[in-house]
Amino acid sequence: MTAGLTACFLIALYIIDEFSYDDFHANADRIYQVGLHKKFAEQDVRSISVCPPLADAMLTEIPEVESTLRLNQWGRPILQYGENVFSEDKVFFTESNFFEFFSFRLISGNAKTALKEPNSVVLTETTARKYFGNENPLDKLILIGEGNQTHYKVTGVAADSPDNSHFNFNVLLSAAGPDNYFKANAWLNSGVFTYFLLRKNASVADVEKKFDDIVTKYVAPDLQQFLGNDLDQFRKTGGVYNYYTTKITDIHLKTTSQDDIEAGGNMTYIYIFGGIGIFIVLIACINFMNMSTAQSAGRAKEVGLRKTLGSLRSQMIGQFLTESMLYSLVAVILAVVLCYFALPAFNTLSEKDLSIINLLEIEFILGVGLMLLLVGLLAGSYPAFYLTSFSPIDVLKGKVTAGLKSKGIRSTLVVFQFAISIFLIIVTSIIYTQINFMQELQMGIDKENVLVIETGHQLEKMVKPFVTRWCSKPEFQTSVSPLMIFRGITDKG
């Protein structure tokens, strides 16, 4: 039972973590992300990348919207401070109300003004340490950009993003200034992630209804100029152009978008893992019940004698359930201890960062208490209700003992247990085979000897000299010529 509960608790920790995404925001129940559903000909796309002016239009046209926030991700720009030069990912342009809108923690700096001025930057604690070491980064200048770099003033240091956030950032840049892309009046452009805070007691359904008015008023003229026909004709031919919302706490598991900022989870996995956890607990309970059944002959005589001496059935039911609850309590305590020691290996397997703190969360504690109650009642149900139901005369005459030695009940439990075990073994085997197939499949290339330079575009005109110099190194001396594949480069050179 301890082993079964340990596996079940680890699965429960995983599921609790999956459902906890973005619930650390103070207004998580009122924050929504806006997405764009567009269908042109055969292309049907649901994207979180929307146009820059949408947020301002929502504040003007939709009374249910209290505030908005926009983000724009910037590839992998180069950051430089002194001799520390890195190509940084998870860099976002954003607005001055970022730390008031979201509940990311700002360690130093003013949350209201940190991103208000142009060329202001907020670094996470880890990023700041990478460039400045133990030096105080506030008010220091750091070079950021690709090619023509710009000085940005460090105005704040934020705590590293929680792991249970649907997006993580390393660098936040102020979008204020003359080149603010958020102020572009381009309704058919995209590239902006837009969030809004719903007013208290307002309905998000009302917001989505008013998106139609925004599309008709602002998007339709540009759409007609682009397509050559009006919005009604476009829709009659099967075209779709409309906005939709996703609650921030639903983004990780329930998003319908095709291009989330970071890869999310999958509700199917939650159902699968939850089912596996339930099956494992059932197997553990059946084992316990089988042992109770094997000892039932002796317990039946005990029940008969106690009934003859005047014991009430309710008293004996209470005794058997209490015994079962004590066994379950010991198993639960041992399972929690095993979970603590198994967490490092489980984190590696599940790619999570769970710790002892997760074992002390109210959700987990309530789950443990519920599991203790369910397992105790389920595992102790047979001796508590079945054995106490016979008359003492039949027990003392040996009729019940003979029936208990029959294989009916135990065989049924064993068959059910084996069926679950075989099912889990088959599913595990299929998953293992599929993963092994994907890892070992011959893709037509030697994956072990292929290098991908993610930021190769930053080399600009130095791409060919760079490749030539690298290929002249001894470790690259092969008979195979270098192959350069460029993505997203339109310059003829």
Side-chain angles (χ1 to χ4, degrees):
M1 192 176 289
T2 297
L5 289 175
T6 300
C8 183
F9 288 162
L10 290 174
I11 292 174
L13 285 173
Y14 176 88
I15 293 176
I16 290 171
D17 183 75
E18 288 289 286
F19 277 111
S20 72
Y21 269 69
D22 295 298
D23 64 0
F24 59 88
H25 296 294
N27 296 314
D29 60 327
R30 296 193 290 129
I31 297 177
Y32 291 81
Q33 183 188 68
V34 183
L36 172 62
H37 181 202
K38 56 184 178 180
K39 183 179 181 181
F40 293 88
E42 299 300 322
Q43 292 186 339
D44 193 349
V45 179
R46 294 178 68 88
S47 170
I48 63 168
S49 181
V50 300
C51 59
L54 176 61
D56 292 333
M58 290 175 64
L59 288 173
T60 304
E61 306 287 342
I62 306 178
E64 291 82 1
V65 173
E66 182 175 322
S67 62
T68 62
L69 179 80
R70 288 170 286 197
L71 297 170
N72 179 232
Q73 192 164 10
W74 183 7
R76 293 176 62 92
I78 295 174
L79 275 68
Q80 179 177 356
Y81 179 75
E83 296 181 355
N84 296 322
V85 184
F86 299 94
S87 180
E88 205 68 57
D89 63 350
K90 300 179 181 178
V91 179
F92 295 89
F93 284 101
T94 189
E95 298 178 281
S96 60
N97 63 331
F98 180 88
F99 289 102
E100 296 175 278
F101 192 92
F102 292 127
S103 298
F104 295 109
R105 188 165 59 91
L106 195 64
I107 298 175
S108 58
N110 190 313
K112 294 183 178 181
T113 61
L115 294 167
K116 188 175 182 179
E117 299 298 326
N119 297 338
S120 300
V121 59
V122 172
L123 308 175
T124 61
E125 191 173 13
T126 298
T127 306
R129 193 180 302 114
K130 181 164 65 173
Y131 290 94
F132 297 95
N134 295 324
E135 185 180 353
N136 183 6
L138 286 184
D139 297 327
K140 298 291 193 305
L141 296 179
I142 185 171
L143 279 169
I144 304 177
E146 299 177 2
N148 296 324
Q149 292 181 300
T150 303
H151 281 98
Y152 282 79
K153 181 180 178 181
V154 180
T155 54
V157 176
D160 293 341
S161 306
D163 291 322
N164 60 340
S165 173
H166 77 278
F167 80 95
N168 295 274
F169 63 89
N170 293 327
V171 180
L172 294 175
L173 303 172
S174 171
D179 298 328
N180 187 352
Y181 179 65
F182 296 155
K183 299 303 179 182
N185 190 30
W187 282 92
L188 294 184
N189 284 10
S190 58
V192 176
F193 309 131
T194 299
Y195 301 82
F196 70 92
L197 181 64
L198 187 70
R199 292 191 185 277
K200 293 181 178 179
N201 301 321
S203 171
V204 70
D206 293 335
V207 175
E208 292 187 329
K209 289 179 183 177
K210 292 174 183 178
F211 279 147
D212 287 335
D213 297 332
I214 289 179
V215 171
T216 302
K217 183 176 180 179
Y218 296 100
V219 181
D222 290 357
L223 200 62
Q224 183 172 0
Q225 184 177 1
F226 176 72
L227 296 176
N229 53 11
D230 60 27
L231 184 62
D232 290 335
Q233 292 175 328
F234 170 67
R235 287 174 173 171
K236 286 179 181 178
T237 58
V240 176
Y241 199 101
N242 206 352
Y243 300 105
Y244 62 92
T245 64
T246 305
K247 195 172 184 179
I248 192 172
T249 51
D250 291 339
I251 292 175
H252 180 67
L253 287 176
K254 301 178 183 179
T255 180
T256 59
S257 305
Q258 299 165 351
D259 58 348
D260 294 306
I261 302 176
E262 296 182 14
N266 192 318
M267 279 300 298
T268 302
Y269 295 154
I270 300 298
Y271 294 137
I272 292 173
F273 294 149
I276 291 173
I278 292 172
F279 284 155
I280 290 174
V281 170
L282 282 176
I283 291 174
C285 290
I286 289 172
N287 276 332
F288 184 89
M289 293 172 71
N290 280 337
M291 289 187 291
S292 298
T293 307
Q295 299 172 355
S296 58
R299 300 306 297 269
K301 292 179 182 178
E302 174 192 340
V303 171
L305 288 172
R306 292 183 61 185
K307 278 192 171 185
T308 303
L309 296 175
S311 294
L312 299 176
R313 187 189 179 198
S314 59
Q315 294 175 329
M316 287 183 287
I317 289 176
Q319 176 196 338
F320 284 123
L321 289 179
T322 301
E323 291 177 3
S324 178
M325 293 293 290
L326 288 174
Y327 277 120
S328 299
L329 177 62
V330 174
V332 164
I333 293 173
L334 292 175
V336 171
V337 173
L338 286 179
C339 281
Y340 171 75
F341 290 105
L343 274 179
F346 183 73
N347 285 335
T348 302
L349 178 66
S350 62
E351 297 183 348
K352 293 287 186 182
D353 190 24
L354 303 172
S355 66
I356 185 62
I357 296 176
N358 298 99
L359 298 177
L360 302 177
E361 291 179 351
I362 185 64
E363 294 91 347
F364 183 75
I365 294 174
L366 290 175
V368 169
L370 180 62
M371 188 62 66
L372 171 62
L373 183 63
L374 290 177
V375 170
L377 292 176
L378 181 60
S381 60
Y382 174 78
F385 295 99
Y386 186 68
L387 292 181
T388 60
S389 65
F390 297 108
S391 67
I393 297 176
D394 291 336
V395 173
L396 295 176
K397 287 183 177 180
K399 294 181 180 180
V400 176
T401 303
L404 291 172
K405 290 181 178 179
S406 66
K407 299 180 180 179
I409 298 175
R410 296 174 62 184
S411 296
T412 301
L413 293 175
V414 170
V415 168
F416 183 65
Q417 177 185 6
F418 279 12
I420 296 175
S421 301
I422 292 170
F423 171 75
L424 293 178
I425 291 171
I426 292 174
V427 171
T428 304
S429 177
I430 292 173
I431 294 174
Y432 173 79
T433 304
Q434 181 65 23
I435 293 176
N436 187 63
F437 171 76
M438 291 188 294
Q439 292 177 335
E440 301 298 331
L441 178 65
Q442 295 298 321
M443 303 294 294
I445 59 174
D446 184 3
K447 294 183 290 185
E448 298 298 324
N449 294 305
V450 173
L451 295 180
V452 176
I453 301 175
E454 294 286 348
T455 55
H457 66 281
Q458 295 175 351
L459 295 168
E460 297 181 345
K461 295 181 180 180
M462 298 300 294
V463 170
K464 289 184 179 180
F466 174 82
V467 173
T468 302
R469 182 166 182 177
W470 267 89
C471 290
S472 66
K473 294 179 177 293
E475 54 267 36
F476 289 96
Q477 292 299 311
T478 68
S479 58
V480 181
S481 300
L483 173 67
M484 294 182 289
I485 299 176
F486 300 92
R487 180 177 62 184
I489 295 181
T490 57
D491 186 86
K492 294 182 179 179

